[in-house]
Amino acid sequence: MQLVQHIDLEMCPSLSEYVCTLEQINQRAPVPEPCRYYSGSPALAQQWLRPQDSATIFETSQSVYADLRRNFDVFDLGSTSTEILCTDSYTWLLNEIAKEVLSGRGLVLMDPPYDPYDIYIACNFLILKRLYDR
Protein backbone atom coordinates (compact mmCIF):
# COMPACT_ATOMS: atom_id res chain seq x y z
CA MET A 1 0.00 0.00 0.00
CA GLN A 2 3.03 2.29 0.13
CA LEU A 3 2.84 2.67 -3.64
CA VAL A 4 -0.70 4.04 -3.32
CA GLN A 5 0.59 6.85 -1.12
CA HIS A 6 2.52 8.19 -4.13
CA ILE A 7 -0.45 8.18 -6.53
CA ASP A 8 -2.90 11.03 -6.98
CA LEU A 9 -6.09 9.08 -6.22
CA GLU A 10 -8.23 11.92 -7.56
CA MET A 11 -6.93 11.03 -11.01
CA CYS A 12 -8.13 7.43 -10.65
CA PRO A 13 -11.61 7.22 -9.05
CA SER A 14 -11.76 3.40 -9.24
CA LEU A 15 -8.47 3.00 -7.40
CA SER A 16 -9.58 5.62 -4.92
CA GLU A 17 -12.79 3.68 -4.15
CA TYR A 18 -10.79 0.45 -3.81
CA VAL A 19 -8.31 2.00 -1.35
CA CYS A 20 -11.15 3.62 0.59
CA THR A 21 -12.91 0.25 0.91
CA LEU A 22 -9.69 -1.42 2.13
CA GLU A 23 -9.24 1.34 4.70
CA GLN A 24 -12.83 0.97 5.93
CA ILE A 25 -12.34 -2.78 6.38
CA ASN A 26 -9.05 -2.21 8.20
CA GLN A 27 -10.73 0.18 10.63
CA ARG A 28 -12.77 -2.80 11.86
CA ALA A 29 -9.66 -4.82 12.72
CA PRO A 30 -8.88 -5.61 16.38
CA VAL A 31 -5.99 -3.13 16.05
CA PRO A 32 -7.18 -0.62 13.43
CA GLU A 33 -4.49 0.58 11.05
CA PRO A 34 -4.93 1.97 7.55
CA CYS A 35 -4.38 -0.73 4.92
CA ARG A 36 -2.53 -3.21 7.14
CA TYR A 37 -4.70 -6.17 6.11
CA TYR A 38 -5.83 -7.25 2.68
CA SER A 39 -9.31 -8.66 3.09
CA GLY A 40 -9.48 -10.55 -0.21
CA SER A 41 -11.88 -10.38 -3.11
CA PRO A 42 -14.87 -11.97 -1.29
CA ALA A 43 -14.81 -9.28 1.39
CA LEU A 44 -14.35 -6.52 -1.16
CA ALA A 45 -17.23 -7.78 -3.29
CA GLN A 46 -19.44 -8.08 -0.20
CA GLN A 47 -18.73 -4.45 0.70
CA TRP A 48 -20.08 -3.29 -2.64
CA LEU A 49 -23.40 -5.11 -2.38
CA ARG A 50 -26.53 -3.00 -2.43
CA PRO A 51 -29.08 -3.52 0.38
CA GLN A 52 -31.29 -5.66 -1.89
CA ASP A 53 -28.35 -7.86 -3.05
CA SER A 54 -27.17 -11.14 -1.65
CA ALA A 55 -23.90 -13.02 -1.97
CA THR A 56 -22.86 -16.65 -1.82
CA ILE A 57 -19.13 -17.11 -1.33
CA PHE A 58 -17.37 -20.39 -2.02
CA GLU A 59 -14.11 -21.91 -0.87
CA THR A 60 -13.15 -25.54 -1.46
CA SER A 61 -10.20 -25.71 0.93
CA GLN A 62 -11.36 -26.39 4.50
CA SER A 63 -8.49 -24.42 6.06
CA VAL A 64 -8.97 -21.40 3.76
CA TYR A 65 -12.72 -21.59 4.35
CA ALA A 66 -12.09 -21.46 8.13
CA ASP A 67 -9.84 -18.41 7.68
CA LEU A 68 -12.46 -16.75 5.47
CA ARG A 69 -15.21 -17.32 8.06
CA ARG A 70 -12.98 -16.04 10.85
CA ASN A 71 -12.04 -12.92 8.86
CA PHE A 72 -15.69 -12.17 8.09
CA ASP A 73 -16.43 -12.45 11.81
CA VAL A 74 -13.38 -10.49 13.04
CA PHE A 75 -13.84 -7.68 10.53
CA ASP A 76 -17.64 -7.74 10.89
CA LEU A 77 -18.03 -8.23 7.14
CA GLY A 78 -20.97 -10.58 7.08
CA SER A 79 -24.57 -9.72 6.68
CA THR A 80 -27.77 -11.69 6.60
CA SER A 81 -27.54 -11.62 2.82
CA THR A 82 -24.07 -13.22 2.71
CA GLU A 83 -23.61 -16.97 2.80
CA ILE A 84 -20.18 -18.64 2.92
CA LEU A 85 -20.00 -22.26 1.78
CA CYS A 86 -17.19 -24.80 1.84
CA THR A 87 -17.92 -26.42 -1.50
CA ASP A 88 -16.99 -26.32 -5.17
CA SER A 89 -18.59 -23.31 -6.84
CA TYR A 90 -18.88 -25.00 -10.24
CA THR A 91 -20.79 -27.96 -8.84
CA TRP A 92 -23.03 -25.69 -6.77
CA LEU A 93 -23.80 -23.42 -9.73
CA LEU A 94 -24.59 -26.34 -12.02
CA ASN A 95 -26.97 -27.78 -9.41
CA GLU A 96 -28.66 -24.43 -8.80
CA ILE A 97 -29.08 -23.81 -12.54
CA ALA A 98 -30.77 -27.19 -12.83
CA LYS A 99 -33.12 -26.28 -9.96
CA GLU A 100 -33.75 -22.87 -11.48
CA VAL A 101 -33.06 -21.27 -8.12
CA LEU A 102 -31.14 -18.52 -9.87
CA SER A 103 -33.68 -16.07 -11.20
CA GLY A 104 -33.87 -12.42 -12.06
CA ARG A 105 -30.82 -10.25 -12.33
CA GLY A 106 -27.54 -11.46 -10.96
CA LEU A 107 -23.81 -11.42 -11.20
CA VAL A 108 -21.39 -14.30 -10.79
CA LEU A 109 -17.87 -13.22 -9.87
CA MET A 110 -15.37 -16.06 -9.80
CA ASP A 111 -11.70 -15.86 -8.96
CA PRO A 112 -9.81 -18.27 -11.19
CA PRO A 113 -9.30 -21.57 -9.39
CA TYR A 114 -5.93 -23.20 -8.91
CA ASP A 115 -6.98 -26.02 -11.23
CA PRO A 116 -5.30 -26.34 -14.61
CA TYR A 117 -6.50 -23.71 -17.09
CA ASP A 118 -8.28 -26.14 -19.42
CA ILE A 119 -10.40 -27.58 -16.59
CA TYR A 120 -11.85 -24.31 -15.34
CA ILE A 121 -12.31 -22.93 -18.86
CA ALA A 122 -14.32 -26.05 -19.72
CA CYS A 123 -16.40 -25.59 -16.55
CA ASN A 124 -16.99 -21.92 -17.40
CA PHE A 125 -18.26 -22.86 -20.86
CA LEU A 126 -20.50 -25.57 -19.42
CA ILE A 127 -22.08 -23.12 -16.97
CA LEU A 128 -22.57 -20.52 -19.69
CA LYS A 129 -24.19 -23.09 -21.97
CA ARG A 130 -26.58 -24.24 -19.21
CA LEU A 131 -27.53 -20.62 -18.50
CA TYR A 132 -28.06 -19.95 -22.20
CA ASP A 133 -30.20 -23.09 -22.62
CA ARG A 134 -32.48 -22.10 -19.73
Side-chain angles (χ1 to χ4, degrees):
M1 296 310 288
Q2 291 177 355
L3 177 63
V4 171
Q5 295 170 353
H6 302 288
I7 297 173
D8 182 2
L9 293 177
E10 291 180 15
M11 297 298 292
C12 188
S14 296
L15 182 59
S16 178
E17 182 180 356
Y18 171 75
V19 170
C20 182
T21 301
L22 287 178
E23 288 175 348
Q24 289 171 355
I25 291 170
N26 274 268
Q27 290 305 311
R28 299 178 193 157
V31 180
E33 291 182 40
C35 294
R36 178 176 179 188
Y37 303 100
Y38 176 68
S39 55
S41 54
L44 287 170
Q46 195 276 335
Q47 295 302 293
W48 292 319
L49 291 176
R50 302 170 305 172
Q52 68 269 30
D53 294 336
S54 63
T56 304
I57 300 169
F58 303 93
E59 179 52 58
T60 56
S61 163
Q62 185 63 43
S63 62
V64 175
Y65 167 79
D67 288 342
L68 183 61
R69 295 280 327 180
R70 187 185 70 249
N71 287 343
F72 264 67
D73 292 341
V74 168
F75 291 98
D76 191 27
L77 299 173
S79 72
T80 57
S81 62
T82 301
E83 182 178 17
I84 303 173
L85 304 175
C86 185
T87 190
D88 178 76
S89 58
Y90 289 109
T91 303
W92 186 92
L93 277 169
L94 288 170
N95 288 335
E96 296 306 307
I97 290 169
K99 294 178 191 172
E100 298 199 25
V101 170
L102 301 174
S103 63
R105 294 176 49 171
L107 171 70
V108 176
L109 170 66
M110 297 178 80
D111 284 340
Y114 296 110
D115 297 326
Y117 177 79
D118 57 337
I119 292 173
Y120 73 83
I121 288 298
C123 289
N124 288 343
F125 283 131
L126 179 60
I127 289 172
L128 288 172
K129 183 176 179 343
R130 293 256 178 101
L131 285 170
Y132 180 78
D133 290 345
R134 272 186 22 176

